[in-house]
Amino acid sequence: MTNLERHGAVFVLTLGDDENRFHPDRLSAISAALDEVEAAEGPKAVVTTGAGKFYSNGLDLDFMSANPDSAPTNLADVHALFARVLSFPAPMIAAVQGHAFAAGAMLALAHDLIAMRSDRGYFCLPEVDLGIPFTPGMSALIRSRLPIAVAHEAMTTARRYGGEDAHDVGIAAAIGGEDEILEVAIARADERSAKAGPVLGAIKAGLYGEVIAELTGGQ
């Protein structure tokens, strides 16, 4: 399940060791971990990652279909997580060690940068194949974090980008092998940790103000 460990100034938040879908319990655990980081004093940064095959496979569609009354709240909570990561007052790096699909890929995009494993795992927005349209907030997030031609291809073709391809088109800022990707991400996070604080959060909130408004309904 979700776990938070500290490596010097860098907090490593492991989303889980399964498909890491966004069930309410997991969202609550992620939120609590981010609360802990936000309360910490001094230089700090966050690396999120998974364990095993998946970084995150996105929405918990089984939970949402089995609990239709709770589905809108669950989706709103996912949107709120994206918004929080976009404006988080400390650097956030996604160490994508496995598959990042759908809302899992969007979570990675909300980080300051993505470090992706070069030899295994895909970044993919498969909604066109699943028959599930992007919400306005999701579309705004993707457009804000990717070159428009890349966003168009990713959203309309459901292309699966391996690490090398993701790096070539600007999805991933760094790549590394299985045994090094987490350390690559931690190093990137550590070199930015002194920037943490309310000013960084305000800058990011201003930079992504329109996206955050779409994600949170203007709240």
Side-chain angles (χ1 to χ4, degrees), residues 42-61:
K44 57 189 173 184
V46 182
V47 170
T48 65
T49 193
K53 186 176 180 180
F54 296 94
Y55 173 79
S56 173
N57 230 358
L59 299 177
D60 191 333
L61 297 177

Side-chain angles (χ1 to χ4, degrees), residues 161-212:
Y161 297 86
E164 297 282 356
D165 290 340
H167 186 259
D168 288 346
V169 301
I171 296 171
I175 52 177
E178 177 182 7
D179 296 331
E180 59 186 355
I181 190 58
L182 183 58
E183 292 305 317
V184 168
I186 290 173
R188 290 293 188 101
D190 188 58
E191 67 189 19
R192 291 164 169 76
S193 62
K195 309 297 183 185
V199 171
L200 177 63
I203 289 171
K204 293 200 287 186
L207 183 61
Y208 297 108
E210 294 86 354
V211 180
I212 292 167

Side-chain angles (χ1 to χ4, degrees), residues 101 122-130 134 150-161:
F101 272 57
Y122 292 108
F123 175 101
C124 181
L125 299 171
E127 280 75 4
V128 68
D129 289 342
L130 297 176
F134 295 94
V150 178
H152 181 94
E153 180 180 52
M155 296 171 76
T156 64
T157 71
R159 176 178 170 181
R160 297 185 176 195
Y161 297 86

Side-chain angles (χ1 to χ4, degrees), residues 58-79:
L59 299 177
D60 191 333
L61 297 177
D62 289 342
F63 169 82
M64 295 173 76
S65 62
N67 300 273
D69 292 342
S70 300
T73 298
N74 186 236
L75 181 58
D77 288 345
V78 172
H79 283 178

